[in-house]
Amino acid sequence: MKYHITPSTTFTGMHKVAPDKSISHRSIMFGSLANGVTRVTNFLEGEDALSTLQAFRDMGVQIDRDGDKVTIYGVGMGGLKAPKKPLDMGNSGTSMRLLSGILSAQDFDSTMIGDESLSKRPMERVAKPLRQMGAVIATTGEKGTPPITITGGQTLSAIHYNMPMASAQVKSCLLLAGLWVKGETVVIEPEITRDHTERMLNAFGYDVKVTPLQNGNEIRLTGGGQLTACDIEVPADISAAAFFMVAGLIAKTGDVVLPKVGINPTRTGVIDILRLMGADITLQNQTLVGGEPVADICVKSSPLHGIEIPLHLVPLAIDEFPVIFIASSCATGKTVLRGAEELRVKESDRIQVMADGLTTLGIDCTVLDDGIEIIGRGQSEFVFGGGEIECHHDHRIAMSFAVASLRASDEIVINGTQTVATSFPNFATLAKEAGLHLEIVDTDLS
Ligand code: S3P
């Protein structure tokens, strides 16, 4: 599939963006392992979260779904069954990495596979510490990549692990494995990363101790406990909201309200970064939903200026950089990002793929090992020219360049946009309602 987008200048209205992907994944995992029935509302009907859902069905959990309402009949900590075939994680790194922790502790063997993009992503970051815990796990791809095979029936032991990179997926994987371990699992993160696992464990009645360190946190839990089913209302995803926020900011006429978005402080780096660039973003109706803070995010068209992105905000905005690069292109002056080497191992190499696309559209940018420098063209009416973009199986690349059309002089064509369905299935419909001149072209039919 492709997007053909002709320039437009208005981006307005109230839009309910996609439900949170991280929380949707975890609701299925914890609901499946709990005792009792967990009811999830506003579940993300995107392919990534559905991969997790299918994996647990494949392990014998009854999960009923009616649109965004999901009912999970938990099987308890000892109730998962051996899957009859490899578990297919599609494009989803979160599913594969978190499930590595769960599967390493089961008494059955398992294999996990993924699509072309996931099959290139590093899995030794979870396999290595899991082996230290006693897991028998192999990354059978060329470079420590999927497929992953796990030999069950091992007795895992507790680990005290200093994570070499700030990764919520690695942290969550080890905490999940730690649920089956005798003794205390301790994970130290070098910088703060999203804490949905810790919050949801608490919501399911499992004690997790978090001690703040100078930069990140130390997280501890003792294995052998039980999870108790609870109801979960998933907030809207700040990572999905980010596309609408930047669109509202860079449009000539921009004014959007995004209701009930999760504003967990481990996820709000994008708001901080955009505000440092001069963005008019306000939060209204702040409240707590199921242990997660939410708010309506209101954004108005704003002149932006380039900044040096503070290092401590990098892990807190890790998924939002593709669209932050679009905002940086629309700022006056230079924006510099450093300390973001993790972007190279996301669904695509987001530094290189974004730099290639920005260059195609006429932006002056320099790729760094761990980041990028972008010379903004905020003073110009047309920041971007037209051109053809490849999104390399990466949903966030596709949506970011769609937003660029609000400051483009010519048509932007984006190839491979079927990947948007992994996280934000109705992106095109909502973006059109808000003002994008977007046409979906199904290349299979044409
Ligand atoms: C996620 C953690 C982040 C993020 C990913 C989702 C999660 O990855 O990029 O999209 O749900 O735990 P890291 O493990 O690199 O922090």
Side-chain angles (χ1 to χ4, degrees):
M1 262 167 46
K2 292 181 184 215
Y3 290 165
H4 284 223
I5 317 174
T6 51
S8 60
T9 55
T10 301
F11 202 83
T12 55
M14 185 182 294
H15 304 284
K16 187 175 174 291
V17 300
D20 191 282
K21 187 149 77 76
S22 292
I23 296 176
S24 295
H25 281 301
R26 287 159 173 81
S27 69
I28 297 291
M29 297 179 191
F30 291 123
S32 295
L33 297 172
N35 298 319
V37 180
T38 291
R39 288 185 179 80
V40 187
T41 48
N42 200 36
F43 179 78
L44 172 62
E45 297 174 80
E47 287 165 7
D48 278 12
L50 293 173
S51 295
T52 295
L53 188 153
Q54 187 56 44
F56 281 89
R57 278 185 178 156
D58 290 349
M59 291 188 284
V61 183
Q62 186 189 338
I63 306 177
D64 299 341
R65 184 168 76 87
D66 177 10
D68 66 356
K69 291 181 187 50
V70 177
T71 308
I72 309 159
Y73 297 86
V75 295
M77 296 302 291
L80 294 179
K81 302 241 164 46
K84 294 199 172 66
K85 54 184 188 338
L87 299 168
D88 187 353
M89 300 306 165
N91 191 251
S92 177
T94 309
S95 311
M96 191 172 277
R97 297 209 178 104
L98 270 60
L99 268 160
S100 296
I102 295 174
L103 293 172
S104 291
Q106 304 307 311
D107 59 10
F108 51 80
D109 299 347
S110 51
T111 300
M112 285 186 284
I113 56 171
D115 73 1
E116 196 183 322
S117 146
L118 184 55
S119 299
K120 289 187 194 143
R121 297 184 66 187
M123 293 297 151
E124 277 299 312
R125 54 179 56 201
V126 289
K128 218 170 132 211
L130 286 170
R131 275 183 213 118
Q132 285 175 31
M133 296 174 83
V136 177
I137 173 167
T139 53
T140 67
E142 264 172 40
K143 293 188 210 141
T145 45
I148 290 182
T149 57
I150 295 173
T151 308
Q154 317 298 325
T155 305
L156 302 189
S157 49
I159 192 175
H160 188 292
Y161 193 63
N162 256 307
M163 282 197 296
M165 75 291 284
S167 165
Q169 292 175 350
V170 176
K171 169 178 72 174
S172 303
C173 164
L174 301 180
L175 293 175
L176 283 163
L179 296 175
W180 283 273
V181 157
K182 199 163 170 245
E184 193 177 48
T185 296
V186 184
V187 184
I188 295 166
E189 51 185 10
E191 279 167 282
I192 305 264
T193 66
R194 64 189 67 191
D195 65 356
H196 303 300
T197 297
E198 297 88 311
R199 284 176 191 253
M200 206 180 282
L201 279 167
N202 279 326
F204 279 81
Y206 209 103
D207 193 28
V208 184
K209 291 196 171 50
V210 180
T211 313
L213 304 174
Q214 203 174 355
N215 294 315
N217 285 321
E218 179 190 81
I219 305 105
R220 298 171 175 264
L221 63 74
T222 302
Q226 298 289 321
L227 298 166
T228 307
C230 69
D231 291 345
I232 295 172
E233 185 183 338
V234 181
D237 197 330
I238 191 163
S239 299
F243 302 105
F244 279 58
M245 287 162 61
V246 171
L249 289 172
I250 67 169
K252 195 164 171 197
T253 309
D255 190 353
V256 284
V257 178
L258 312 169
K260 284 200 175 179
V261 180
I263 52 156
N264 177 321
T266 61
R267 297 284 300 280
T268 47
V270 62
I271 297 180
D272 299 332
I273 291 169
L274 292 173
R275 278 182 175 157
L276 287 173
M277 297 174 78
D280 179 351
I281 302 175
T282 50
L283 302 180
Q284 288 176 0
N285 302 322
Q286 294 196 36
T287 139
L288 267 185
V289 173
E292 292 277 354
V294 302
D296 300 344
I297 300 184
C298 312
V299 180
K300 289 200 165 67
S301 183
S302 312
L304 302 176
H305 54 83
I307 58 165
E308 286 198 12
I309 296 175
L311 278 179
H312 75 276
L313 292 178
V314 171
L316 310 183
I318 196 66
D319 289 342
E320 287 66 72
F321 283 109
V323 80
I324 290 173
F325 297 169
I326 299 296
S328 308
S329 306
C330 300
T332 48
K334 183 161 83 168
T335 294
V336 185
L337 170 69
R338 307 233 50 157
E341 49 280 280
E342 278 294 302
L343 290 182
R344 293 200 178 268
V345 290
K346 294 293 176 189
E347 285 83 329
S348 69
D349 174 346
R350 286 185 175 155
I351 295 176
Q352 192 59 53
V353 170
M354 281 304 296
D356 291 346
L358 291 174
T359 306
T360 300
L361 300 186
I363 299 296
D364 178 3
C365 59
T366 309
V367 167
L368 310 170
D369 282 354
D370 62 343
I372 194 167
E373 283 182 7
I374 296 172
I375 310 295
R377 289 170 42 83
Q379 63 287 359
S380 323
E381 182 185 354
F382 299 122
V383 167
F384 306 100
E388 198 161 335
I389 303 289
E390 299 298 332
C391 60
H392 296 270
H393 306 278
D394 190 335
H395 51 137
R396 301 201 196 281
I397 303 290
M399 290 184 275
S400 297
F401 282 109
V403 167
S405 67
L406 287 157
R407 293 291 286 278
S409 58
D410 281 300
E411 185 180 60
I412 298 176
V413 173
I414 307 172
N415 293 323
T417 54
Q418 62 279 0
T419 180
V420 169
T422 59
S423 71
F424 199 163
N426 64 344
F427 170 77
T429 309
L430 284 191
K432 280 204 287 195
E433 276 170 28
L436 289 201
H437 292 170
L438 187 158
E439 193 197 337
I440 298 177
V441 177
D442 190 337
T443 44
D444 282 347
L445 301 174
S446 57

